[in-house]
Amino acid sequence: MAAIETKALHKRYGQHTALHSLDLRVEPGTVFGLIGPNGAGKTTTLRILLDVIRPSGGEVRVLGEDPQHGGPALRRRIGYVPGELRLDGRTTGRGMLDFYAKVSGPVPAGRIDELADRLGLDLDRRVRTLSKGNKQKLGLVQAFMHEPELLILDEPTSGLDPLVQRAFLQLVREARDRGQTILLSSHVLSEIQQAADEVAVLSAGRVVAAGDVASLRLGAVRRMRAGIADASVASVRDALGRTGAETTLHDLEVTDGTGHVRVAVTIEGDVDPIVKALARFRVVDLTLEEPDLEESVLRLYGEGAGAEAAPSRREATPPSSAPADPPPSSPAPSDPPRLRRDRRRQPSEAASSGDLPSAGPVQHEGGAR
Ligand SMILES: Nc1ncnc2c1ncn2[C@@H]1O[C@H](COP(=O)(O)OP(=O)(O)OP(=O)(O)O)[C@@H](O)[C@H]1O
């Protein structure tokens, strides 16, 4: 049985279709990366899995159950970190976590302190006074502390510095080693490359590529900047023009900078010929970086990624009809410390209040859905 399975999942917000017939399968005990540019539909997918919002069509199974009917018992088996946490509360981080521990089920002794320590979080500060990054850490502790069967993490490292990101990736690996399943959304490719076993790339609500990280060509796009001394623009341009068929250069700019020639280019494919081409010059500066995921997706799967045919695309056919969103659910108690996703609201969802935490049960606030 898959830990998560969606079939022909479809979601419309009014006239806008956010998910087109999405098929996903996440095997138990694996780390699954859901990546894609902004607006691709990652958050929408995760929120449907948690029954924070309802699909317009298709099937969903989470830990073998339909999230719409799983109730608190299913939610206790899931740890969730929404994308942008908005935390309120006069209580301290420890107070908040103790509250969630009561609803989520048993938390091993010392686990909260251990996690806080590893992430560098002061549990004695009042939640409302915490910085964005520290609130994010608190969200991570509440998701991991009860060692749930499934972790659903929406852009979990946003706002975290690189050291804390590393600690987080270690937590993910340990969770997988314990047999937990992790679904991780991100628009940062390198994060997924380090953590995930399997990946699905979403673009405009469709899966445009799926497989193990290495088999996707996304890592094959890099942006390079270099400074070359004692050379002319023409000679550098000429050298870069002789790279073989394994390498394609996009947006090549070779300009006369102050004292040396500046090169900026997006490399698709093998970087080795470029490095060799530059090696004949005196290189005074060189950076090679990951481009936006959006750029990678568009480069490799075409401008119409998600809408038109592409080599490794799974084609999707929207269902001919799909039910409208269900009516809002009843409000949840407002006093306990809250974790919420702060996101754009559209008129069609004016009454909705989005994601909630869920060390324990996901609560629908103020008519969420
Ligand atoms: N409540 C809403 N009402 C109307 N449209 C929405 C709503 N929420 C999301 N959308 C739209 O649905 C599409 C998918 O959005 P979603 O937030 O799922 O994408 P995402 O991949 O998580 O992007 P990001 O990384 O920017 O959060 C976008 O076009 C977005 O504008």
Side-chain angles (χ1 to χ4, degrees), residues 93-101 112 123 138 141-142 145:
R94 189 182 300 283
M96 194 195 93
L97 294 169
D98 286 345
F99 170 80
Y100 280 119
I112 290 178
L123 290 172
L138 199 49
V141 176
Q142 68 82 30
M145 65 185 183

Side-chain angles (χ1 to χ4, degrees), residues 53-188:
I53 57 173
R54 296 256 163 110
S56 311
E59 284 177 38
V60 187
R61 286 285 175 279
V62 176
L63 299 173
E65 298 195 45
D66 180 345
Q68 293 185 31
H69 303 123
L74 175 60
R75 289 173 194 144
R76 268 186 215 108
R77 299 166 66 194
I78 305 171
Y80 174 44
V81 178
E84 288 168 33
L85 287 173
R86 204 177 66 203
L87 290 165
D88 289 324
R90 290 185 195 157
T91 181
T92 59
R94 189 182 300 283
M96 194 195 93
L97 294 169
D98 286 345
F99 170 80
Y100 280 119
K102 288 192 186 97
V103 272
S104 69
V107 173
R111 178 74 173 150
I112 290 178
D113 284 290
E114 181 215 323
L115 289 170
D117 193 44
R118 289 175 64 179
L119 295 171
L121 171 66
D122 179 353
L123 290 172
D124 297 318
R125 286 191 52 186
R126 290 186 189 280
V127 172
R128 59 160 55 158
T129 68
L130 293 175
S131 66
K132 180 176 184 295
N134 280 316
K135 286 178 178 171
Q136 191 69 15
K137 293 176 192 175
L138 199 49
L140 289 172
V141 176
Q142 68 82 30
F144 278 83
M145 65 185 183
H146 60 303
E147 298 176 2
E149 281 165 71
L150 174 63
L151 283 149
I152 297 183
L153 311 175
D154 193 358
E155 308 265 354
T157 59
S158 74
L160 299 183
D161 64 47
L163 270 183
V164 184
Q165 288 183 18
R166 215 180 305 161
F168 162 76
L169 290 174
Q170 186 57 31
L171 291 179
V172 167
R173 283 189 277 268
E174 289 170 17
R176 182 191 45 199
D177 292 347
R178 264 196 294 270
Q180 295 168 261
T181 307
I182 299 108
L183 174 58
L184 182 64
S185 98
S186 181
H187 62 265
V188 184

Side-chain angles (χ1 to χ4, degrees), residues 11-19 34-47 53 83-84 154-155 185-187 202-205 325 341 343-350 352 369:
K11 175 65 184 174
R12 283 197 310 258
Y13 292 108
Q15 295 298 309
H16 177 69
T17 300
L19 296 180
L34 194 58
I35 58 178
N38 289 337
K42 305 178 297 290
T43 297
T44 296
T45 306
L46 302 191
R47 295 173 90 198
I53 57 173
E84 288 168 33
D154 193 358
E155 308 265 354
S185 98
S186 181
H187 62 265
L202 278 190
S203 178
D325 282 356
R341 174 154 178 143
R343 57 175 302 112
R344 76 219 104 183
R345 297 258 178 264
Q346 305 286 335
S348 62
E349 210 190 27
S352 299
R369 302 184 194 220

Side-chain angles (χ1 to χ4, degrees), residues 166-227:
R166 215 180 305 161
F168 162 76
L169 290 174
Q170 186 57 31
L171 291 179
V172 167
R173 283 189 277 268
E174 289 170 17
R176 182 191 45 199
D177 292 347
R178 264 196 294 270
Q180 295 168 261
T181 307
I182 299 108
L183 174 58
L184 182 64
S185 98
S186 181
H187 62 265
V188 184
L189 181 61
S190 54
E191 179 170 296
I192 296 292
Q193 281 173 321
Q194 289 175 64
D197 302 305
E198 293 281 318
V199 179
V201 184
L202 278 190
S203 178
R206 297 176 200 265
V207 176
V208 295
D212 61 277
V213 184
S215 74
L216 299 182
R217 292 174 296 137
L218 288 166
V221 178
R222 294 270 181 276
R223 202 188 328 271
M224 187 197 77
R225 288 192 179 77

Side-chain angles (χ1 to χ4, degrees), residues 187-190 193 217-225 251 265-268 288-300:
H187 62 265
V188 184
L189 181 61
S190 54
Q193 281 173 321
R217 292 174 296 137
L218 288 166
V221 178
R222 294 270 181 276
R223 202 188 328 271
M224 187 197 77
R225 288 192 179 77
D251 309 327
V265 65
T266 300
I267 304 169
E268 184 183 332
L288 205 55
E289 60 195 39
E290 186 183 313
D292 291 349
L293 189 58
E294 179 151 28
E295 189 178 340
S296 304
V297 169
L298 294 180
R299 248 331 140 217
L300 295 166

